[in-house]
Amino acid sequence: MKSSFHPLRLICALSAVYALHTPLALAADLSFTPPSGGGFVIKSPGGAQERFRVQGTGEVTVPGLNGAPTANNLTCFDGAGRLGPCAAGIGSGATGATGPTGATGATGASGPTGVTGAAGATGATGVTGPTGATGATGASGTGATGAAGATGATGATGATGATGPTGATGATGADSTVQGPTGPQGIQGIQGPVGPTGADSTVPGPQGNPGATGATGPTGATGATGVAGPLTLTTVTNSDSWPANTGAVSLTATCTAGKTVVSGGCRITLNPGDHYLGGSYPAATDQWTCEMSIFANPAAAMAYAICQ
């Protein structure tokens, strides 16, 4: 039997009582107890459709959900029955196992082979045409040899290159300590004539004039220069070393006291292929200097002074 209880009217009455109640009742809950076998129902205007139902057994029904617009969020409830959005991962069940592959269907029957068409008749072979006449052989003409071209004009003589710098004058050799041989003595001059002898007389005759002195003979030629004495040379060295990337350096070898430098040289003894020799020259009468640039690797070098 359908109950004549109208919960909507009860809710309106309770709302009016709640509005007239003192402010101390604002925190109170509204409680509704449906009759046995009944429930709490909210209907559409006019009462034709149920919008929300809570049965006395606790079952909650929302009939309008089937016709509501679709949404992307799930609604879950906790142990106390409180509704809310679902936690991450809720509603996503594990992927089911892949089902077995279905059996292959039976192969359909082959259709009948079509009838082969009849072969067409072979056409008649055409008549062979006559062979054409052989053409006459052309005369072989020898072309005349062209005249030799004129000789081209002689090109202008290139400019003379600049004269290179004059090399340094070598050191003067020391004087020989051995004296050269003495030249031969000049030819003796002709003796003058003897004066006449006076006649015997008791009186002494005048004494004859003395003969004139003969002219002086020419000076003899100068003798050849004697052979130079033996040359004694000594070598003096000076060594040094530098770290990598030192840049420009110089190294000088000096003759011993009283000696003169006549030549010299330089030698890079460590990593010679990685450095640059900028100069090798006599820096003074008794010194020989080497100039170098030291790059990415350490270097060692030696300067030589050849002295006499």
Side-chain angles (χ1 to χ4, degrees):
M1 177 178 177
K2 184 176 181 182
S3 175
S4 60
F5 179 73
H6 297 284
L8 181 59
R9 296 176 184 176
L10 178 59
I11 292 174
C12 293
L14 291 175
S15 298
V17 173
Y18 181 76
L20 296 174
H21 202 270
T22 61
L24 295 177
L26 290 176
D29 294 332
L30 293 178
S31 177
F32 173 73
T33 303
S36 178
F40 176 77
V41 180
I42 298 176
K43 292 187 176 183
S44 63
Q49 296 177 341
E50 288 187 358
R51 298 303 190 194
F52 184 79
R53 172 183 286 274
V54 179
Q55 288 294 104
T57 59
E59 180 180 336
V60 178
T61 305
V62 185
L65 285 179
N66 288 331
T70 59
N72 296 326
N73 297 324
L74 299 177
T75 301
C76 297
F77 64 92
D78 58 13
R82 182 177 56 186
L83 298 178
C86 296
I90 299 299
S92 299
T95 303
T98 304
T101 303
T104 303
T107 304
S110 300
T113 303
V115 179
T116 303
T122 303
T125 304
V127 180
T128 302
T131 303
T134 302
T137 302
S140 298
T142 302
T145 302
T151 303
T154 302
T157 303
T160 302
T163 303
T166 304
T169 303
T172 304
D175 294 336
S176 173
T177 56
V178 180
Q179 185 177 357
T182 305
Q185 185 177 356
I187 300 173
Q188 185 176 357
I190 301 173
Q191 185 177 359
V194 179
T197 302
D200 292 336
S201 172
T202 57
V203 178
Q207 185 175 358
N209 294 325
T213 302
T216 302
T219 302
T222 302
T225 302
V227 178
L231 182 63
T232 302
L233 300 177
T234 57
T235 301
V236 178
T237 62
N238 184 19
S239 301
D240 203 349
S241 61
W242 304 270
N245 299 313
T246 301
V249 297
S250 62
L251 184 63
T252 299
T254 303
C255 297
T256 57
K259 296 289 186 177
T260 302
V261 67
V262 296
S263 186
C266 307
R267 180 187 177 198
I268 299 176
T269 59
L270 179 62
N271 299 314
D274 193 39
H275 310 292
Y276 173 70
L277 178 62
S280 177
Y281 57 89
T285 58
D286 61 345
Q287 292 182 336
W288 192 272
T289 295
C290 303
E291 293 182 349
M292 293 157 286
S293 292
I294 310 303
F295 296 125
N297 290 310
M302 180 179 292
Y304 299 84
I306 302 176
C307 313
Q308 70 171 4

